Amino acid sequence: MRRRFIVRGGVQGVNFRATAADRARRLGLTGRIWNREDGAVECIAEGDAAAIDRFGHWLGRGPLLARVERVEASELDGDARYPEFAIARER
């Protein structure tokens, strides 16, 4: 399964990407996460559906200093493309 998440709110400059990447790895997911120019954080998560659901739930809270306003999620077609979960400079 592959899912794209866009996390909006106060999510840049609060260690969001690093904390999310650590969480994703612990859940056994692969993918990428990056900051968007509009202030949001976007990521693609690949792996087990239940693990992706747990990751999406965590994204709705984020790390301690984050102020998540909303999370947009959409399913993606195709096979997994990433060998690990990593922080990307851009998409």
Side-chain angles (χ1 to χ4, degrees), residues 30-59:
T30 62
R32 292 289 183 272
I33 189 165
W34 62 94
N35 283 338
R36 291 169 42 128
E37 289 184 14
D38 65 1
V41 169
E42 184 170 350
C43 71
I44 295 174
E46 303 172 336
D48 176 75
I52 290 176
D53 287 344
R54 286 193 297 276
F55 182 62
H57 181 72
W58 182 88
L59 290 173

